[in-house]
Amino acid sequence: MCDEIRKFFDTFEQSNAAGDIDRLVALYADPFMSADSTGVRVVKASEFRMALPKRKQLFSAIGCTSTKLLSVEETPLDDRYVIARTVWRWEFSKPTDPIELPSTYIIRRDGDTSQAVFYLTGDVMSVLRSRGLLPSATP
């Protein structure tokens, strides 16, 4: 893995663990695109900054104790853009096995700065529901 991508994900993992919202937001372009099973949307930094504490609160409430990066597989697209396919391990205080979830990022490298311009994740809420960590969705 190239040094810039390693540094990006080291910073990401440390900032997430510390709850450093400003540092996490700075790792994403303003705006960036986010995609999951519900569709694709453009996310502004201000919206992302407001959503992160709610996300952290939800994960704390269901007993998520840590999120660790297990792997990164990068594929350069050109001299500035890289696709990074990652796997994250979520650990819980409740009696459940850790959950491993893939995420894909497109990262723009510009000098000393790297930012995610696109973020793709699976259906995290469905996985959490299937493990009994969230109530079932109502039809």
Side-chain angles (χ1 to χ4, degrees), residues 36-70:
D36 60 20
S37 62
T38 63
V40 179
R41 65 200 140 284
V42 174
V43 180
K44 295 178 184 177
S46 59
E47 296 165 345
F48 189 45
R49 181 174 277 108
M50 288 175 24
L52 285 173
K54 294 174 187 173
R55 180 180 186 266
K56 179 97 172 152
Q57 189 175 44
L58 170 66
F59 293 154
S60 292
I62 63 172
C64 185
T65 57
S66 68
T67 305
K68 297 182 178 165
L69 181 64
L70 293 181

Side-chain angles (χ1 to χ4, degrees), residues 66-120:
S66 68
T67 305
K68 297 182 178 165
L69 181 64
L70 293 181
S71 66
V72 178
E73 178 186 314
E74 69 178 82
T75 305
L77 295 174
D78 63 16
D79 62 332
R80 290 194 187 256
Y81 291 91
V82 172
I83 291 179
R85 291 176 179 84
T86 66
V87 177
W88 296 86
R89 180 183 179 106
W90 296 18
E91 298 194 8
F92 297 85
S93 60
K94 297 180 180 186
T96 185
D97 291 332
I99 297 172
E100 293 182 7
L101 294 167
S103 295
T104 301
Y105 301 79
I106 295 179
I107 299 170
R108 183 178 191 273
R109 299 175 298 173
D110 188 13
D112 292 337
T113 303
S114 296
Q115 289 185 308
V117 297
F118 179 81
Y119 169 60
L120 170 67

